[in-house]
Structures are given as structure tokens and as C-alpha cells.
Amino acid sequence: MVDTTPLTRAVDHFADRLRAAPQSRLQRGAAAEALGLARELARWAQVLEAPGVEPREMPDAGMFAAADQITVAVHDLALVLQSEGEVEEAVRMVEGAQKRAGV
């Protein structure tokens, strides 16, 4: 089993920053960036979990749910990652999205 602690730490930090962000920051793109990340991570998890099955898209639950959506997506992904390289790639994705979100 691979250690996914760096990934869960990265997403917890991003989620905390989103929760602390003012509504104006969320509206200016931080929430959209988080939703995009959540959808990408959820898709990745689904592909690993059920190859050959068309992944479902994570719905937009609103800007105030973005932090929870990335957290759920990462925790689902963490269960199916198989290598340290995959964990490192996911961490880079989270950190990149956080930087683009500006939080």
C-alpha cells in the first residue's frame, strides 16, 4: 500500500484556504479552479477503479462546496493510487490548482 499522506495534506491545506477565502475570491475563479481539480481527480480515481467504464462527472455543487469536493475526490483517489509516482503527480496537481486559484 502506498503512503498518500503528502496528498491528503496538500488537499487539506488547499481546502482550508478555500474555506477561509472571501466570497469575492471564490467568485473570481478559486471555486472554479477547485471544481476543475475535483473533477479531474474524480475521473482519475474512476478510471483506476473501473477501467473501461465511462467516468461520471462530478456535479457543480456551488462555490461554497468546492473545498469539500476536492477533499472527497482526493480521498477517493488515495484509495486506488498504486505508486509513489502517482501520489507525487496528484500532489503536483493539487499544488498547481491552489496556486492558480490564488488562495
Side-chain angles (χ1 to χ4, degrees), residues 19-91:
R19 289 182 186 105
Q23 183 174 347
S24 60
R25 169 94 38 163
L26 295 174
Q27 289 172 324
R28 284 194 310 263
E33 186 65 43
L35 177 61
L37 174 67
R39 286 178 169 166
E40 191 172 355
L41 296 174
R43 179 179 179 79
W44 185 7
Q46 291 175 62
V47 167
L48 289 175
E49 201 168 38
V53 176
E54 183 64 29
R56 298 167 312 280
E57 183 174 77
M58 182 176 280
D60 183 346
M63 70 179 149
F64 296 114
D68 295 330
Q69 288 184 290
I70 61 169
T71 301
V72 168
V74 160
H75 285 277
D76 286 349
L77 180 61
L79 293 173
V80 295
L81 291 178
Q82 300 173 0
S83 72
E84 293 295 325
E86 289 176 332
V87 172
E88 291 168 5
E89 181 181 347
V91 169

